[in-house]
Amino acid sequence: MQDLPPAALEQIAGYFQALAEPTRLQILNLLRQEERRVGDLATLCGFSAANVSRHLAVLQQHGLVMRESRGTSAFFRIADPAVYELCDLVCGNIARRSDQVAQERAAFFPPVPRPEGKTGR
């Protein structure tokens, strides 16, 4: 991101804002498996079709999903599979941080040795 103009930084921030909503992440996760219609996504997410449509519009605006009309139905699919690499990278980072925090907390609560023959039951 070094030496990018403000307009480019705004686009990047918008991309991350599109990913900063749990419902949109859920939609992207569902589209990872296969393309789907709005109604199908709404049913799987547990939200109204109107709500899912608004989220899909944001994802489409940032180039993350594509819409294809077929007859009376609109199907959505992933436009940029690299989004999954980004999400996997973030998930790995969060998991590592969580493990580190758990290890740091464990230092305050060392395991208590049990007398021989005791199983704790």
Side-chain angles (χ1 to χ4, degrees):
M1 295 189 323
Q2 186 174 342
D3 299 326
L4 290 176
L9 294 173
E10 285 182 35
Q11 281 188 300
I12 293 166
Y15 185 92
F16 282 108
Q17 285 174 343
L19 296 175
E21 214 294 323
T23 303
R24 290 195 280 270
L25 293 175
Q26 186 178 6
I27 290 168
L28 289 172
N29 201 36
L30 290 167
L31 292 175
R32 189 176 210 164
Q33 300 161 4
E34 62 183 319
E35 66 180 11
R36 297 181 191 267
R37 294 178 297 182
V38 174
D40 297 334
L41 288 166
T43 299
L44 292 166
C45 290
F47 297 107
S48 70
N51 190 349
V52 170
S53 289
R54 283 191 295 276
H55 287 297
L56 286 165
V58 171
L59 293 171
Q60 188 175 9
Q61 176 185 354
H62 293 284
L64 294 162
V65 299
M66 299 174 72
R67 180 183 188 273
E68 182 181 334
S69 295
R70 291 189 214 143
T72 59
S73 296
F75 287 81
F76 286 85
R77 69 176 178 270
I78 293 301
D80 182 8
V83 70
Y84 297 121
E85 294 174 35
L86 177 61
C87 288
D88 291 345
L89 181 68
V90 170
C91 289
N93 187 319
I94 290 170
R96 283 188 299 280
R97 285 184 37 225
S98 179
D99 288 347
Q100 182 181 2
V101 168
Q103 289 174 1
E104 289 169 359
R105 287 184 180 162
F108 290 98
F109 303 102
V112 178
R114 295 184 187 182
E116 281 190 43
K118 301 282 183 173
T119 61
R121 291 185 187 196

